[in-house]
């Protein structure tokens, strides 16, 4: 990711779709963390997280944290 070319991709968490995620735009700069929260229900014991490329970019992530709701 550079200032001139942000990485943009799609995310789908358990059927909840987030299209055209632009991390650079949302954080306001390089080397800044982005936290996204998805409240989902898992009924089959498997959490589905899918990343999809766009025309120009492929997904890139550095970490995922899953916290069960109580």
């Amino acid at each position: 990711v550079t200032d001139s070319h942000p990485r943009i991709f799609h995310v789908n968490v358990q059927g909840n779709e987030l299209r055209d995620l632009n991390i650079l735009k949302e954080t306001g700069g390089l080397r800044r963390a982005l936290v996204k929260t998805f409240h989902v229900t898992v009924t089959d014991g498997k959490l589905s997280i899918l990343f999809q490329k766009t025309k120009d970019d492929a997904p890139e992530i550095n970490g995922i944290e899953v916290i069960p709701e109580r």
Side-chain angles (χ1 to χ4, degrees):
V1 176
T2 65
D3 286 326
S4 62
H5 183 77
R7 186 177 298 269
I8 300 169
F9 55 94
H10 311 307
V11 180
N12 187 307
V13 180
Q14 206 68 19
N16 295 291
E17 188 173 43
L18 176 59
R19 298 200 48 87
D20 299 323
L21 175 60
N22 183 334
I23 295 173
L24 186 65
K25 181 178 178 182
E26 291 203 31
T27 62
L30 297 172
R31 296 179 192 80
R32 296 181 183 183
L34 175 64
V35 175
K36 288 289 190 188
T37 301
F38 293 85
H39 296 276
V40 299
T41 300
V42 177
T43 58
D44 62 357
K46 298 177 186 177
L47 175 63
S48 172
I49 303 174
L50 304 172
F51 299 95
Q52 183 180 16
K53 67 179 187 171
T54 57
K55 179 183 173 202
D56 298 320
D57 293 316
E60 182 176 329
I61 61 161
N62 291 307
I64 297 175
E65 181 178 24
V66 177
I67 301 171
E69 292 183 346
R70 303 206 188 273

